[in-house]
C-alpha cells in the first residue's frame, strides 16, 4: 500500500493540486483590482509535507514531471518550473529534518519556497524575455500578494496536513 501511495497517489495528488492552483488563482484574481496578480502554490506547500513520505530520487522524478507539466500548462515554455521544482525538492529533502521541526519552521519554509520559486521564475522569465516587468512592480503587485495568499493557505491547511500526514 505504501508503494501505491508513493508512486501513484502522491503524483496524482500533486497533478490535481497543480491544476487547482491555477483555478484558485483565477478565482481570487476575479475579486481583486486588475493590477494585482496572486499565484496559489499548493504544490509547494505539499512539497514540504510529502518530503517525509517519499525518497529523494522519487521526489526529484515526481517534481521533474510536474515541472514539465507546469511549464507546458502555465508558461507555455519548457524550462522554468522544470528547473526550479526538482531543485526545490532536492533542497527540501536535504533539509527536511530542519524544515519539518515545528509549525514555525514549516511556515517559514513554505514562505522561503514560495519566494524562491516566484523570484527565480521572474528572473528567468526576464532573462529569456518572457516578461518586461520592472522588479519593483513585480514585488509590489505579484510577489508580496502571493506570499500573503500562500501564508493564509498554509495557516488554513497546516492543521489538516499535520493530522493526515503524521497519522499515517
Amino acid at each position: 500500500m505504501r508503494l501505491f501511495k508513493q508512486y501513484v497517489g502522491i503524483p496524482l495528488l500533486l497533478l490535481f493540486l497543480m491544476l487547482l492552483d491555477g483555478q484558485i488563482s483565477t478565482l481570487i484574481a476575479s475579486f481583486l483590482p486588475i493590477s494585482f496578480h496572486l499565484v496559489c502554490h499548493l504544490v509547494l506547500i505539499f512539497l514540504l509535507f510529502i518530503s517525509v513520505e517519499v525518497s529523494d530520487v522519487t521526489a526529484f522524478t515526481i517534481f521533474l514531471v510536474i515541472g514539465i507539466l507546469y511549464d507546458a500548462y502555465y508558461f507555455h515554455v519548457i524550462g522554468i518550473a522544470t528547473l526550479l521544482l526538482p531543485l526545490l525538492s532536492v533542497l527540501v529533502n536535504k533539509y527536511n529534518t530542519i524544515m519539518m521541526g515545528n509549525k514555525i519552521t514549516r511556515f517559514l519554509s513554505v514562505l522561503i519556497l514560495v519566494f524562491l520559486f516566484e523570484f527565480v521564475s521572474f528572473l528567468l522569465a526576464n532573462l529569456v524575455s518572457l516578461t518586461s516587468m520592472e522588479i519593483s512592480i513585480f514585488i509590489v503587485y505579484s510577489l508580496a500578494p502571493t506570499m500573503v495568499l500562500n501564508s493564509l493557505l498554509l495557516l488554513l491547511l497546516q492543521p489538516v496536513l499535520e493530522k493526515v500526514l503524521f497519522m499515517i
Side-chain angles (χ1 to χ4, degrees), residues 6 20 38 40 52 59 62 70 81 88 96 112 117 142 151 166:
Q6 186 172 0
L20 186 62
L38 286 93
C40 178
V52 296
I62 290 170
Y70 194 99
L88 289 175
N96 181 313
I112 290 168
F117 185 81
S142 185
S151 299
F166 293 135

Side-chain angles (χ1 to χ4, degrees), residues 11-120:
L12 287 176
L13 174 66
L14 289 170
L15 181 63
F16 172 73
L17 290 174
M18 181 195 78
L19 297 173
L20 186 62
D21 278 348
Q23 300 306 314
I24 292 171
S25 298
T26 302
L27 177 68
I28 293 171
S30 68
F31 295 114
L32 295 174
I34 192 107
S35 58
F36 286 102
H37 180 73
L38 286 93
V39 181
C40 178
H41 284 296
L42 291 174
V43 170
L44 294 177
I45 293 171
F46 274 73
L47 165 62
L48 183 65
F49 283 90
I50 65 159
S51 66
V52 296
E53 295 289 323
V54 296
S55 69
D56 296 356
V57 173
T58 304
F60 183 84
T61 305
I62 290 170
F63 281 96
L64 178 65
V65 172
I66 294 292
I68 292 168
L69 295 173
Y70 194 99
D71 276 338
Y73 189 72
Y74 291 112
F75 295 133
H76 307 295
V77 173
I78 303 296
I80 295 174
T82 304
L83 173 69
L84 292 178
L85 286 177
L87 289 177
L88 289 175
S89 77
V90 169
L91 178 75
V92 167
N93 283 323
K94 181 174 172 82
Y95 296 107
N96 181 313
T97 55
I98 297 168
M99 292 177 159
M100 294 299 285
N102 60 46
K103 288 184 179 190
I104 294 170
T105 58
R106 283 190 289 272
F107 181 79
L108 293 174
S109 297
V110 167
L111 289 180
I112 290 168
L113 289 172
V114 170
F115 174 81
L116 286 173
F117 185 81
E118 283 292 313
F119 193 71
V120 175

